[in-house]
């Protein structure tokens, strides 16, 4: 016989079971992560390693599937917005390509602001809190940040001075690089990575400003001949997660994922340095030649681009304090 008491108890049991089931579902996250870089790129390899460690330590309750090579259809400059709007829960965001939405993200592309990865670490001490603010107001959280290694000019022609760079059509990744290379007389064109190789193949550009790592990704030896180690700008990839997706995790899961990211980030920076050495060797094996940039040429480039520091700080007031603090620590203030 079903009594009111039995019915109530049974209903309560079913309701409790429903809550448990709901909690179990909420505790399992299956996230796609978007990146434009191919499987072999060190940033993508970092992402694979991070995803594997998160899955392992979370017991499979947080599963990240890395979608490399632009599989999800997002171009690099679209990643900040894609994560912001929840179109994808995670993305590997190239900071300098987001300046249309967030000008501060271009701070690392101030010409010659940093001369080495060690100097970049000091800069990050001051700018990372601002990066975190940018992410937060775009409905996302930064899990880790990893820089690209030193930058090169990859060209078809051999040049000895700034005059030789005049009117060379060169692909650049962001607006600040357009301004910089235009000042030295080149004809820069802002092109997302996914469209760079077609631009080289068609002859739309005859040079690329990027790292040796990207040079290997794009098999530049098929199109270009010379590499100039100008080390003119820096940039970083930021793995960000949509805040709504993040808040769906339990506090324990959040701490686990954040701790893994923090622990792995220094190793990812080391991977960047190694990738530069390995990639430069691969470009040379492919037939490209590294041309040392003369002191006179570097002095000329630095002189022509020097006004861009103050121009950036004037255009992006939020960058003034952290950049000047960095310059003071480097005794360049």
């Amino acid at each position: 016989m079903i009594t009111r008491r039995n019915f109530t108890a049974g209903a309560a049991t079913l309701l409790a079971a429903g809550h448990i089931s709901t909690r179990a579902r909420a505790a399992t996250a299956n996230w796609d992560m978007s990146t434009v870089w191919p499987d072999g790129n060190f940033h993508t390899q970092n992402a694979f390693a991070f995803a594997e460690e998160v899955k392992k330590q979370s017991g499979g309750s947080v599963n990240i599937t890395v979608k490399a090579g632009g599989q999800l259809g997002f171009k690099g400059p679209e990643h900040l917005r894609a994560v912001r709007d929840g179109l994808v829960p995670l993305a590997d965001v190239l900071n300098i390509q987001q300046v249309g939405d967030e000008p501060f993200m271009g701070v690392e592309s101030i010409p010659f602001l940093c001369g080495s990865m060690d100097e970049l670490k000091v800069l990050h001490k001051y700018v990372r809190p601002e990066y975190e603010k940018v992410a937060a107001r775009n409905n996302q959280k930064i899990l880790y940040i990893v820089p690209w290694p030193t930058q090169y000019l990859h060209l078809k022609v051999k040049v000895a001075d700034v005059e030789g760079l005049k009117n060379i059509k060169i692909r650049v990744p962001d607006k600040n690089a357009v301004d910089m290379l235009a000042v030295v007389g080149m004809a820069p064109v802002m092109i997302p990575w996914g469209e760079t190789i077609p631009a080289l193949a068609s002859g739309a550009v005859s040079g690329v400003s990027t790292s040796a790592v990207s040079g290997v990704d794009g098999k530049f030896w098929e199109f270009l001949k010379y590499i100039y180690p100008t080390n003119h700008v820096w940039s970083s990839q930021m793995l960000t997660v949509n805040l709504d997706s993040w808040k769906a995790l339990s506090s324990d899961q959040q701490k686990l994922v954040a701790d893994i990211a923090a622990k792995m980030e220094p190793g990812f920076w080391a991977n960047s340095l190694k990738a530069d050495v390995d990639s430069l060797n691969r470009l040379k094996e492919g037939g490209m030649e590294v041309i040392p940039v003369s002191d006179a040429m570097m002095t000329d480039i630095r002189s022509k681009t020097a006004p861009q520091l103050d121009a950036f700080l004037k255009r992006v007031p939020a960058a003034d304090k952290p950049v000047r603090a960095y310059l003071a620590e480097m005794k360049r203030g």
Side-chain angles (χ1 to χ4, degrees), residues 234-266:
W234 293 83
S235 61
S236 297
Q237 295 288 148
M238 303 177 171
L239 182 62
T240 69
V241 57
N242 174 274
L243 280 180
D244 298 318
S245 298
W246 180 252
K247 290 172 183 175
L249 299 183
S250 70
S251 58
D252 287 344
Q253 287 172 317
Q254 290 178 355
K255 184 178 187 305
L256 178 71
V257 173
D259 286 351
I260 292 171
K263 184 176 181 180
M264 297 186 80
E265 185 174 311

Side-chain angles (χ1 to χ4, degrees), residues 10-37:
T13 300
L14 288 171
L15 186 61
H19 282 316
I20 292 170
S21 176
T22 299
R23 286 200 301 271
R25 287 196 299 271
T28 301
N30 293 297
W31 291 341
D32 281 344
M33 185 203 120
S34 178
T35 178
V36 300
W37 312 116

